[in-house]
Amino acid sequence: MEMSDFLKMSHPQILHIAFTALDEFKKKHKRMPTPWNIADAEDFVKLAEEPAKKLSSYKPEEDKRYLPLLKLFCFTCQGVFAPLTAFMGGFVAQEAIKGITQKFMPTKQYFYNDCWEIIPELPEDSTKLEEAIKSFGVAEKNHRSDGLRLICGEKLLNDIGSANVFMVGAGAIGCELLKNFAMIGLGTAPKDAQNRGGLITLTDPDVIETSNLNRQFLFREKHLRKPKSQTAAAAALQMNKDLKGHIVARLDKVHEGTAHIFTNKFFEDLTLVANALDNVHARRYVDSRCVNAKTPLLESGTLGPKGHVQVILPYKTETYGSQQDPQEEGEIPHCTLKMFPEETLHCVEWARDKFGKIYSQRPKGLMKILDELDKYEPTDSQEIKTLREAVSLLKKRPTNFQDCIKYARQKFQKYYVNDIRQLLYTYPIDAKTKEGNPFWSLPKRPPTEILFDSKNALHAHFVSACACLRANVFNIPIPKDARTNEGRLKIAEEAAKVQVADFKPSAEKAKEIASQVDKEAKKGGEEEEKEGEANTQDDNEVQNLMKDLKKISEQLPKSKEGKILCCLPEEFEKDNDENFHIDIIYSMANCRSSNYKLEPMDWITVKLKAGRIIPALATTTACIAGLQVIELVKLLKKCKLEDMKNAFMSLAVPILQLSEPGAPLKTKLTEKLEVTVWDRWEVKASRNDKLKNLFETIEKTYELRPRDVIQGSENIYIHAVMDAHGKEKQKEGVLNSKLSELLDFDKEDKYVDLSIMMAPLKGGDILQGVPTVRVVFTD
């Protein structure tokens, strides 16, 4: 039989015997066993003796779990536990799909899975069983929760109802989680005398797109473009009316910018957090907030037929951030992307990169500089480059759609004619490598230029999408028929009238291209060859650029609040087919594939590749959400750590591995001091204490010397700067400054968290793994 949990080695055999005995019981009594009926349980155990003998490899008399598990099976087989049915439903549905499609490996043996940990534990003394059953509170009350009450009892049911849960994300996993929450009555308990009641808070900033409908089953076509969180909450209310007044849907993204909404106190007041996120960065942020607040976190994720669940418990388990995710393989080298594509996918990635730079990054850079115009002072080469690009973008800003068409035609000329000619000028067809071999040999393909043809559908696609996106960035109206074939051809005809400058080969660019090919080390994008230029620019260039920028900005319109209105950066959105995003990437990539004689890629495939869309399986989502909620119920029951399970699953193989969560890694700071990621050092201090007083307290308490003090992203004290020659007076001033002067906190704040780098008292390198220091105010 298939094994999923090596701490339950005998459970598949016992459950196989139990299901066989259940069939025999139904044949004998023409009914199911009565819930928690001792007489039925005794009869059930007797009926199990015969099928137990048929399993020659299993010895019931040698297994302490045999009788308890059989009895619990009999007592609860009429119960309903929605998360387990969701898991089994997803698993079985995938098996049916395998039978139809002949894709993936089917389950070849019996597969059993249980979560008996949530059932009340039976007393070892059988004479106390009847009394124990009465105390469990498993009697039916003619309520929708009776199916669950039969399984877990009154106490756990109340704990489920009074839980305060924060669900982050309302996408595929989020919809399944919320369905399971509604089914088990999570957070539905009314407020008690202390004004405490159950609550589910969910948040998701996204709106519902067409591509969501095939796997996010709380959404329908009528919900398109509506907020996911609010729509999901409304659907959950339809499933369980008891959720009314106990579910709050927010549209806020959980990140640094919303720390004033999802405060430390917010996280500290939660029973637990359930993640339903789709990216590592957001998972790490939520994980860090839960670690700081000492709040349990249930983490999950899916990738096609694969999925995982991780249980994160304060002080008991490792955190999500404790493990590094494996690096994605197959990163495309810069030169391959920029000059030597080997397959059409490389052209798609090149086009995706260009989109980000032209329509998103540069407009964002311009808006940031305009917002900080009076105090903007570029210091490094990257900031000077951003300033240079911002001024260029402003000077070349279009005033009408005709200007946008001109821009699109010039871009076509640059990408598909001039850049190709420059590359072939640098490396002619007969070029040789240093070893004397032909330079243009596979996988390098010699490109050929493509001349603009207004009647070519692909060329028309490019100039229309490019012109429309340029117009959108600068808030210029676009033709209503711009996405129709007729509209594209009209724009292409206008583009054909644009005069383009003759190509002039550049020896300087040729050297830069050759240098990039030789090094194959730089990673960046368009115009990266100019990176070193900024280092040679003197202050005069910056002053001239700022002067030009301020002069042009005076001519720009302003909002009522006085904010300069200039451009609207385009954020890549794969799910909106009308926004020209996939259109431009599709046409850019395929024009480039024409340069290199690569196979063209159709529009929908470009959308999948550029949007990095991995087909999600509703079956996987159902299984993972089911396993996640099973762990949630165990957590609320306060099960032992060994009963909590991390899960890794692949429905394709198929495989399910359930294991005890790993312990947190211990870091030895000194001979006397050992810490984990969950530790936090609390130091009491007055708001009027000086920084040096805080340092003295830390040195005395932990026998470590504070070196750097950081609050959030703000540097409060950096020893390398303060110990520099000539900084003695400034160092003395900072050390003698009051905490209220140095730190950022409100009057009502009772504490402030600091990251303090420390070193041994006797000297040495800065120690890694020092916990956050919480300064608790005594006044």
Side-chain angles (χ1 to χ4, degrees), residues 560-576:
K560 292 179 181 178
E561 295 79 23
K563 186 178 179 180
I564 297 172
L565 302 174
C566 172
C567 59
L568 301 168
E570 289 279 320
E571 290 288 353
F572 179 69
E573 175 51 67
K574 65 183 182 297
D575 289 320
N576 183 359

Side-chain angles (χ1 to χ4, degrees), residues 6 110 124 142 292 323 330 379 407 499 585 655 718 758:
F6 288 98
Y110 287 107
E124 291 184 11
N142 196 27
N292 188 54
Q323 299 287 340
T379 53
Y407 170 85
Q499 293 294 316
I585 293 171
I655 186 173
I718 304 297
M758 302 193 197

Side-chain angles (χ1 to χ4, degrees), residues 667-675 681 701-703:
T667 302
K668 195 170 185 178
L669 298 179
T670 66
E671 287 299 320
K672 301 177 183 178
L673 212 53
E674 196 174 63
V675 297
W681 291 347
T701 307
Y702 301 106
E703 297 182 4

Side-chain angles (χ1 to χ4, degrees), residues 547-565:
K547 188 177 178 182
D548 289 347
L549 191 66
K550 287 178 180 178
K551 186 177 178 181
I552 299 170
S553 66
E554 290 172 0
Q555 306 165 17
L556 299 174
K558 293 182 174 63
S559 67
K560 292 179 181 178
E561 295 79 23
K563 186 178 179 180
I564 297 172
L565 302 174

Side-chain angles (χ1 to χ4, degrees), residues 452-597:
F452 182 74
D453 179 3
S454 61
K455 294 179 181 177
N456 184 304
L458 194 58
H459 299 185
H461 211 127
F462 172 86
V463 290
S464 63
C466 185
C468 289
L469 279 169
R470 177 81 168 176
N472 284 343
V473 167
F474 288 96
N475 202 23
I476 293 170
I478 62 174
K480 291 181 179 179
D481 61 350
R483 285 199 83 248
T484 65
N485 290 331
E486 295 79 7
R488 287 173 183 146
L489 289 172
K490 284 180 194 174
I491 293 171
E493 287 169 7
E494 290 297 316
K497 299 174 186 176
V498 175
Q499 293 294 316
V500 291
D502 292 333
F503 169 74
K504 293 179 182 178
S506 167
E508 186 181 345
K509 280 189 177 180
K511 287 180 183 178
E512 289 166 356
I513 290 171
S515 174
Q516 286 184 9
V517 172
D518 290 340
K519 291 178 181 177
E520 188 64 282
K522 288 184 182 179
K523 289 188 178 180
E526 190 180 62
E527 298 181 10
E528 186 179 52
E529 63 273 6
K530 296 182 182 177
E531 185 178 0
E533 253 179 48
N535 295 325
T536 63
Q537 300 293 335
D538 55 21
D539 292 338
N540 288 334
E541 188 204 9
V542 175
Q543 289 173 6
N544 290 334
L545 287 170
M546 290 302 295
K547 188 177 178 182
D548 289 347
L549 191 66
K550 287 178 180 178
K551 186 177 178 181
I552 299 170
S553 66
E554 290 172 0
Q555 306 165 17
L556 299 174
K558 293 182 174 63
S559 67
K560 292 179 181 178
E561 295 79 23
K563 186 178 179 180
I564 297 172
L565 302 174
C566 172
C567 59
L568 301 168
E570 289 279 320
E571 290 288 353
F572 179 69
E573 175 51 67
K574 65 183 182 297
D575 289 320
N576 183 359
D577 295 345
E578 307 292 322
N579 62 10
F580 301 100
H581 294 188
I582 300 299
D583 288 344
I584 188 67
I585 293 171
Y586 160 76
S587 54
M588 282 181 83
N590 280 298
C591 285
R592 187 169 175 81
S593 69
S594 298
N595 282 135
Y596 288 88
K597 296 182 176 61

Side-chain angles (χ1 to χ4, degrees), residues 17 47 77 181 474 651 672:
I17 293 167
L47 290 171
C77 64
F181 291 171
F474 288 96
L651 292 178
K672 301 177 183 178

